[in-house]
Amino acid sequence: MKFKPSVKPYQGAAGGWDSLEATTRYVLDSKQAFKNIRNLLRVNKSKGFDCPGCAWGDDNTSTFSFCENGAKAVSWEATRKGLNTAFFAQNSVAKLYQQSDYFLEYQGRLTEPLRYDAQTDRYVPISWQAAFTLIAQHLHRLDNPNQLELYTSGRASNEASYLYQLFGRMFGTNNFPDCSNMCHEASGSGLKQSIGVGKGTTLLNDFESADAIFVFGQNPGTNHPRMLHSLRHAADRGASIVTFNTLRERGLERFADPQNPLELLTPKSGRISSSYYQPNLGGDMAAVRGMVKALLETHRQHQAEGLAGLFDEQFITLHTQQVAEYLAAVDATPWQQIVAQSGLSETQLREAAAIYQRAKRVICTWAMGITQHKHSINTVREIVNLQLLFGQIGKPGAGLCPVRGHSNVQGNRTMGIDEKPPAAMLDSLSAHFHFAAPRAPGHSTVEALEAMLAGESKILIALGGNLAVAAPDTARTESAIRRCELTVHIATKLNRSHLITGKDALILPALGRTDRDIQATGSQYITVEDSFSMVHASEGVNPPISPLQRSETAIVAGIADAVLGAQTLDWLQLAGNYNLIRDHIAATLPGFTDFNQRCEQPGGFYLGNTAAELRFTTPSGKAQFSTAALPDTLFPQIAGQAVPFTLQTLRSHDQYNTTIYGMDDRYRGVYGQRDVVFVHPQDLAELGLQDGDRVDIETLWHDKVSRRVTGFKAIAYDIPRGNLAAYYPETNPLVPLSSFGDGTHTPTSKSVPVRLTRAQNVATDRII
């Protein structure tokens, strides 16, 4: 397929008519427009199904509870196009590997179990029972259980995730690498260290009463568009929306509500951000430190004048520790360092601090612009420090709101998809199921890939996802996966990871969120957890495209039955009745008492949050101020080496995670192409380049491995000097596997040291 590339600056607001037009186009392209219109009316609704896209909360009041990208996700999954035996007979794995990620998933749904035939380099049909038997044979040949890696996508349901972790632990391993390791680990780790719980403290309705909302490192217009409704409503009633984001993003500037007829049919739109600051990549911690430094000066000035200080001294005394040490660290941080590292002026940071000071109720919200750096945990904790000083936790309209990606990535962790599981959870599982759960920490995603590279891990089973494309350092990641004895992918559609095979390989076709799930006891529903700790029931409506597709829950149960048998647990009985799984969840995990009954509540039920109740489950029983200093450099591994540019990888608007819905990035004005890099105009000029010239991008690292992508189009963009942005997965080859966050092993995909040079060889008319 060919697309006509162009760059045309986008003048409209996010949302509005263009969003409706794009939604309509994707619904029609699904080849079942009427059914998908009906589907969209049931998205994120009681007795409907949860959107397979983002994890933003449901407001349960709108007629349409979906966004443009949610409509894309639903239509993409609910297509009636299917891949059959003839397709794989005609296409070798080597041939398919040459195709784009867009092409692969556009072919339609997987319809039957497949096994890789190395002699013909093709996938061929295999029965379900033969597939399960093959998996069991491979697992029983392992020297020890820790040679198995059990990867998980954030889209897997609570029920499937719970069975998956239970199977792994009964087999004997805590190797649960997952997508959260690559995206959100710093939020969970940082929040646990600061307030004792690794989840946000806000509810969706807190956005209705906040006086100020500080948005750090996220682009909701593309990644979680339903958030724009919450921000727009807050802005309309007078709340200050203060944005810290390296790029200018249209969704954070102006938004036209597609559900408002006036804004749909006219140029009318509403402003989102009242203040917009563009820090350097990795500079958010310094920016927050600068705000605190300014607020601390005002606090002391008020006290010197006999006035009440700014800080909530009662909250600090009753609920926190180490405030004196933290404020000493703030005093020791010079403005010169803050300004240089943040890329923002002292005047800008004092301005932001004044907005914070005037607000009685403040929400701080962030996403992967914060969590994919070496010092991400410290950045998260610096945001918490700010909120603790003012007691902005545990009251309506205030709190901490890390925004997750896929719609159940938070639920996966709640269910036990955790390579470092809490001892209390292991104790509960062991007592309830009468087995000795393994206690040694398992592998995160980066650690799993390193173990596969070293030949220490031999089998990869992936419950959803697209690991080969999502992971960093593409060449090393692919090499790691190819070294496996067996790779198993449980998936709805073909993707590149299926073409990176172990010596033996299976693809097992799964039902999606939109599909009706009929088991032995009748129609089943699953549950998911959103970013606000709300648990929702989700029940698909479409008949499966093939009788050979199985639910993820049934597939996991089938594998467990083949490997472990029914002596400890009747896995197939659980697959036939998900209520039984939820009974086990209720018996072993806190917050899920009467799980089945509570699933009947319209809008779902709240799991609760101890920190929001001002009960801090840290070792001291109090919230902990972090006293970390600002980092001396983003790249200590190459200290002393000049870094011309820092690159971040990001999504386009026609994309969700690794799924490419189309070739346009409407809000950034890029059409028909993805091999682009966004550069400040003055940086282009200094390199002797013009807007539209082709460039090569090369990583600067210490291991003497060449990491380079070539022939990218340089696009002049509103981005701070010395910073670059480009799409992933196209630039994942530039992210070293050994470059990860302190304490998280999360790839530093938002801070990659690179150089930019004029392209040596330029390809044209690229096939997509």
Side-chain angles (χ1 to χ4, degrees), residues 247-358:
L247 277 74
R248 300 292 297 194
E249 298 288 12
R250 184 51 47 87
L252 287 166
E253 294 175 316
R254 289 185 287 132
F255 175 64
D257 188 346
Q259 298 187 46
N260 183 321
L262 182 62
E263 297 187 8
L264 179 64
L265 300 173
T266 72
K268 180 178 172 60
S269 63
R271 186 174 70 167
I272 297 293
S273 299
S274 52
S275 300
Y276 202 122
Y277 304 105
Q278 293 178 261
N280 287 329
L281 291 168
D284 298 273
M285 181 181 178
V288 178
R289 179 67 56 91
M291 288 175 58
V292 173
K293 193 172 184 71
L295 291 164
L296 178 58
E297 291 174 9
T298 306
H299 173 76
R300 287 171 174 164
Q301 182 180 351
H302 281 203
Q303 289 182 319
E305 295 172 355
L307 303 173
L310 300 185
F311 301 157
D312 189 333
E313 301 287 1
Q314 182 179 14
F315 180 93
I316 292 170
T317 301
L318 288 176
H319 299 296
T320 75
Q321 280 191 340
Q322 292 190 296
V323 65
E325 293 86 345
Y326 170 61
L327 295 180
V330 174
D331 284 330
T333 310
W335 273 110
Q336 182 180 7
Q337 183 185 13
I338 290 169
V339 169
Q341 194 167 112
S342 70
L344 301 173
S345 69
E346 183 177 336
T347 299
Q348 288 176 305
L349 295 174
R350 289 186 181 277
E351 177 185 84
I355 297 171
Y356 190 101
Q357 178 184 332
R358 291 193 297 268

Side-chain angles (χ1 to χ4, degrees), residues 40 43-45 59-67 226 259:
L40 291 174
V43 173
N44 300 322
K45 294 291 186 67
D59 64 15
N60 300 299
T61 59
S62 301
T63 303
F64 305 109
S65 294
F66 61 88
C67 63
R226 284 185 295 141
Q259 298 187 46

Side-chain angles (χ1 to χ4, degrees), residues 4-217:
K4 186 177 180 180
S6 65
V7 178
K8 297 179 292 186
Y10 186 73
Q11 303 300 331
W17 177 261
D18 287 342
S19 181
L20 179 63
E21 186 275 332
T23 298
T24 303
R25 177 159 36 89
Y26 279 93
V27 169
L28 293 175
D29 192 50
S30 69
K31 309 304 181 187
Q32 53 166 14
F34 178 79
K35 287 185 178 180
N36 269 335
I37 291 172
R38 182 192 66 179
N39 289 343
L40 291 174
L41 292 174
R42 298 190 64 177
V43 173
N44 300 322
K45 294 291 186 67
S46 180
K47 304 300 182 181
F49 59 89
D50 205 78
C51 179
C54 78
W56 190 251
D58 301 339
D59 64 15
N60 300 299
T61 59
S62 301
T63 303
F64 305 109
S65 294
F66 61 88
C67 63
E68 176 187 336
N69 279 4
K72 292 175 185 176
V74 169
S75 300
W76 196 250
E77 179 181 282
T79 179
R80 304 309 287 177
K81 294 168 62 177
L83 295 175
N84 54 28
T85 302
F87 174 86
F88 290 101
Q90 294 166 6
N91 293 280
S92 68
V93 167
K95 179 181 176 182
L96 290 171
Y97 182 81
Q98 299 303 316
Q99 300 292 338
S100 70
D101 297 283
Y102 171 78
F103 172 90
L104 295 174
E105 294 208 32
Y106 190 75
Q107 302 312 302
R109 294 286 298 274
L110 294 161
T111 59
E112 59 186 331
L114 300 164
R115 181 182 184 181
Y116 178 62
D117 183 344
Q119 290 187 328
T120 63
D121 190 36
R122 281 165 170 77
Y123 275 103
V124 297
I126 184 175
S127 72
W128 277 107
Q129 190 54 54
F132 292 149
T133 299
L134 179 67
I135 294 169
Q137 291 171 347
H138 274 280
L139 263 63
H140 290 153
R141 288 201 292 264
L142 293 177
D143 297 327
N144 65 77
N146 289 319
Q147 292 180 326
L148 169 65
E149 303 289 351
L150 294 164
Y151 180 75
T152 316
S153 160
R155 198 181 67 175
S157 70
N158 287 331
E159 291 72 18
S161 297
Y162 185 82
L163 283 195
Y164 199 55
Q165 64 83 26
L166 185 60
F167 158 66
R169 293 191 165 105
M170 284 188 172
F171 185 71
T173 187
N174 282 317
N175 286 349
F176 290 102
D178 75 319
C179 62
S180 187
N181 295 149
M182 294 190 286
C183 302
H184 308 289
E185 201 68 49
S187 292
S189 297
L191 289 172
K192 281 181 182 177
Q193 292 174 37
S194 289
I195 61 174
V197 60
K199 299 181 182 183
T201 65
T202 57
L203 293 171
L204 184 58
N205 59 16
D206 285 319
F207 282 76
E208 298 172 5
S209 55
D211 299 310
I213 301 168
F214 281 71
V215 181
F216 295 95

